[in-house]
Amino acid sequence: ITIMAAAARFFVRGAHPKLSFSGVCASAQRSLGAGLLKLSPSCASRTKTHKRHAAHFTFQPDPVPTQYGPTQKMNLFQSVTSALDNTLASDPTAVIFGEDVAFGGVFRCTVGLRDKYGKDRVFNTPLCEQGIVGFGIGVAVAGATAIAEIQFADYIYPAFDQIVNEAAKYRYRSGNMFDCGNLTIRAPWGCVGHGSLYHSQSPEAFFAHCPGLKIVIPRGPVQAKGLLLSCISDKNPCIFFEPKILYRAAVEQVPVDAYTIPLSQAEVLQEGSDVTLVAWGTQIHVMKEVANMAQEKLGVSCEVIDLQTILPWDIDTVCKSVAKTGRLLISHEAPVTGGFAAEISSTVQEECFLNLEAPISRVCGYDTPFPHIFEPFYIPDKWKCLEAIKKMINY
Amino acid sequence: DFTQQVTFDIKKCDVHGLEEGPADTSVLTRDQGLGLYRSMQTIRCMEQHVDLLYRQKLILGPCHLYIGQEACAVGIEASIDKADHLITSYRSHGFSFTRGVSVREILAEITGRRGGVSKGRGGPMHMYAPNFYGGNGIVGSQVPLGAGVALACQYRGNDQICVAVYGDGAANQGQLFEAYNMAALWKLPIIFVCENNRYAKWTPMQRVSACTDLYKRADYIPGLRVDGMDVLCVREASKFAKDHCQSGKGPIILELQTYRFHRHGTADRHPSYRNEAEVQEYSNKDPISRLAGQVIHANMTSAQEFEEIDMEIRKEVEEASQFAITDQEPPLHDLCNYVYHNSPPLKIRGIHRWATLVSIGNTL
C-alpha cells in the first residue's frame, strides 16, 4: 500500500481553470463563449503542472567524451541521424528504408538524409513489416548494408518469423556460405508516458531467445551513436532498440565523427559495494537515481551497470560485480515473467550462488499487457526499486 | 411544409468484376436525411471536442480523428442491420458511435475514466459494442479477424454479414491478401471496406502502392470504387454490397474515396506532407455541408431546423465532455483484471516479489 501511495504522488494531473471553445460544429462557426470546466475532485487540490504526466525519471547525461574528436550538442534522435549520416557517407552500399523515413521519420531520425544521399538510398516502404524485414534480409545477403526501420517496436511481430527463422539462422544453416550480417533493424522502444498498449512495448525478451541475433539498447545519445555504428559494422544481424522517451529528453555532447562502442560489453557506471543494479535503456536513469536515494536514505552503496547489449550479454562483468556486492537487482519495463531479468537472474545464481547474501530481485512490469491509463502504476519506478533494495539489505 | 421524399442523383461507382454496380440515384426521405445529418454532425462535434481535450493534455494515448470521413461510417451503418458485424482500424470513434456507443462513453473512454465503454482500459482506439469488434491498433490486423467473423456467420447460417474496414496503408499488408483468398475461396459474407484517405499516416498512397485501384486489389473479388465524401453514395454502395453478400455470392470490396481534414493523429507534428491547397479542395467537399445543402435545396428541411439540431448536438457533446473530465479513473486493482478468463481470481506477479495483485477474469 505504501508503494502505491508513493507512486500516486507522481501521478500529477491538472487542467486549465477557464476555457473557451470556438468553431465547434463545422457548419455553424459559432463561438460558445467561455465555459468553466469543473475539475475532478481529486484534482482540485493540485495547483501544479499541466503536464500529461510527470516523467518517472530524470535523464542524466554522460560526461563529454574526449577520445573521439570534436563534439556537438545532440539529442537522441539527432545522434541516430549522425550515425546514419556517417554510415551513408563511408559505405556506398548502405541503404535506409522503412515507413515514412523519407520525410525524416516519425521521430525525426532520418531528417535530411534523403536530400543528401538520394532517394535510391533512403526510401519509404509500404506498410508491411514482414515485407520490410524479409526484403532487408535479401538486401543484406546480397552484400549491401541494409538498415531497416520498424516504426514502433510494437509493430515488429509480423516480422518475427523473418527475423527468427531467416535472419538469425542464415549463417548457421548455410555452413557460413551466406549470412545477413549486413542487416540492422532499428525500432523505437519502451514506455513514453502516453503510448498505451501499442506504442510502449519492450520486446527484447522475445528476441533474446533466438541465437544468431544481437540485441542492443542504448541509454543516451553518445552510447546510441557508438552502439548503432557498431551494430551496422557488426557482421551479424542486429536489432537496435531506441528508447523513444529519450529522443528529445536526452541531450549530450556527441562526437561528430564516426566511432564505435564495443558490443557485448556492459558498462559499470558507478562503483559500489553493497548492491549491484543492472538495467538498460531508460531504466538506467531510474537506477542512477535509486543509487543516490539508497546512499542518502539507507547508507547503501550501489554499483550501477548498464547492460547495453542484451544478446549476447556480458556475463563476466555482472557476475564479477555480484561476487563483490552479494546482492543483485535487475529492472526492466517489460513484464516480469520471461523478461530478460529472468535470464540474468538464473545465470547469476548459477555462477555466484555462494556469493549471494539475498535472493536476486527483479523489479519489472506486471504480467499484464502494457496498460493505457494505469501506466504510472505499471512501470518499475524508483520507489519500487528502493523498496526492493531495502528488502534485500534486511534479508 | 417540407418535401417528404426526394430522389437524388449520385455519382456512379467504378466497377470491377461485376456486370453492373449500384444505381446512380438514391431515394431519401426527410427522416432519413435528418438522421444522416444528425449522425455525421454528432461525430464531427465529438471529434472536435476530442481535439480540444487533447490540446489541454487531458488525453493519454494516440488519438486519431475521423473528421472528414463521417460519410463512410454513417453511410455504411444506414445500410446494415444492428445484427450485422463490423470491425475497423484505430480511427474508430466514428464507427463506435454509429455502432451504438454513446458520445459520453466514447469521450470517457478517451480520457480513460470508469464511465468509458471499455471501463477506461482501452483508451482512444479500443472501443467495443455488441457486434462491433473495435478499434484495432495494429494496421491490417482487423481484416483476417473480420473474415473469421464472417465465417462464423456463414457457419451459423444466420444471414448476417461482416464489414471489415481498413485504410489505404493497410492495403499493402500481407495478411489482407490472406484474408481475401480465404474469403473468396469459401464465399464468406464479408464486405471489405477500404477507407482510402490517400495517406498512410504521412506517406501518399500512390508512392507505396504499385496498384492504386484499391478496389481491384483482390483481382478475383468484385469491387466498387465509391465517392466517400457523399453519404448517399456510400449508403447505396453498402446496400448493394450487403445484397451481394447475402445472396451467397461471397465477398466484395468497397473502396471509399475519402479524406481526413486533420492530421493523422492528434500528436502529429509533421506539417508539410500535404499541401494546403489540397486540404482546402477537400474541405469544400465536406460531407456534412454537402448533405445539408442538398436537403435544404430540395426543400426537405430548413437551415433553422439544422441549427436546432446543431444546438442539441453541441449540448449533448459538451455534457459528455464534462463527464469525461470529471468522472473517476478506474480503481488501481483493475490494472490486473481480465488478463485471462479464470475462476477463481488468479494471482498476477507484480512489480517485484512482494507485490502480487489478484486478477479477476470472469464477468460477474
Side-chain angles (χ1 to χ4, degrees), chain A residues 3-4 11 13-16 19-30 32 36-42 50-53 99-101 103-108 114 124-130 151-152 154-155 158 193-199 248 336-338 359-369 371-374 377-381 384-385 387-388 391-392 395, chain B residues 37 41 44-45 48-49 52-62 64 109-113 119-126 136-139 169-170 172-175 178 200-204 207-209 267 269-273 286 288-289 307 310-311 313-314 318 321-322 325-327 329-337 339-340 348-357:
Chain A
I3 302 166
M4 297 309 174
F11 187 52
R13 190 169 269 239
H16 289 289
L19 109 92
S20 70
F21 288 9
S22 60
V24 177
C25 298
S27 50
Q29 287 280 328
R30 214 181 294 189
L32 298 175
L36 212 72
L37 279 181
K38 300 182 204 60
L39 300 176
S40 132
S42 57
H50 299 306
K51 280 187 223 155
R52 196 175 279 116
H53 259 306
E99 293 157 20
D100 299 309
V101 300
F103 291 103
V106 284
F107 292 108
R108 326 289 291 145
R114 185 181 168 97
N124 282 343
T125 58
L127 213 166
C128 47
E129 287 76 16
Q130 185 172 17
Q151 197 162 92
F152 283 86
D154 313 54
Y155 310 155
H194 52 272
S196 291
L197 286 79
Y198 298 111
H199 294 78
R248 286 175 199 267
V336 61
T337 297
I360 297 173
S361 210
R362 294 181 287 159
V363 180
C364 307
Y366 288 93
D367 280 340
T368 73
H372 165 55
I373 192 89
F374 298 111
F377 303 104
Y378 180 92
I379 48 182
D381 62 23
K384 291 163 184 155
C385 293
E387 188 70 22
K391 294 227 156 88
M392 278 198 288
Y395 187 75
Chain B
Y37 177 86
Q41 190 69 299
R44 176 68 60 91
C45 196
Q48 285 174 331
H49 268 73
L52 277 165
L53 288 173
Y54 193 90
R55 282 191 260 139
Q56 292 162 55
K57 301 190 197 279
L58 292 165
I59 296 180
L60 283 168
H64 307 89
E109 184 58 40
I110 291 176
T111 52
R113 308 298 167 114
K119 307 185 182 61
R121 305 160 56 90
M125 287 190 275
H126 307 291
N136 291 275
I138 302 296
V139 173
N172 294 319
Q173 276 274 316
Q175 51 192 325
E178 295 178 11
K201 193 161 177 168
W202 301 341
T203 302
R207 292 205 207 200
V208 285
S209 303
R269 267 179 270 213
H270 187 30
S272 59
Y273 62 97
D286 187 331
I288 302 179
S289 339
E307 279 195 7
D310 285 352
M311 277 181 50
I313 292 172
R314 211 161 47 216
E318 272 169 27
S321 208
Q322 193 64 31
I325 306 170
T326 54
D327 191 27
E329 279 124 15
L332 185 57
H333 57 76
D334 206 30
L335 167 62
C336 279
N337 290 338
V339 176
Y340 290 103
I348 291 274
R349 288 163 95 185
I351 297 280
H352 48 57
R353 278 173 49 229
W354 306 280
T356 343
L357 293 181

Side-chain angles (χ1 to χ4, degrees), chain A residues 235-246:
Chain A
K235 297 194 184 350
N236 294 292
C238 296
I239 305 179
F240 187 75
F241 288 122
E242 302 164 357
K244 62 177 86 71
I245 202 174
L246 297 181

Side-chain angles (χ1 to χ4, degrees), chain B residues 40 66 68-76 228-231 234-235 287:
Chain B
M40 290 198 286
Y66 205 60
Q69 299 184 205
E70 294 87 354
C72 299
V74 173
I76 290 173
M229 302 304 270
D230 180 358
V231 68
V234 176
R235 191 179 71 145

Side-chain angles (χ1 to χ4, degrees), chain A residues 154 182 233 250 347 361:
Chain A
D154 313 54
N182 292 331
S233 60
T347 304
S361 210

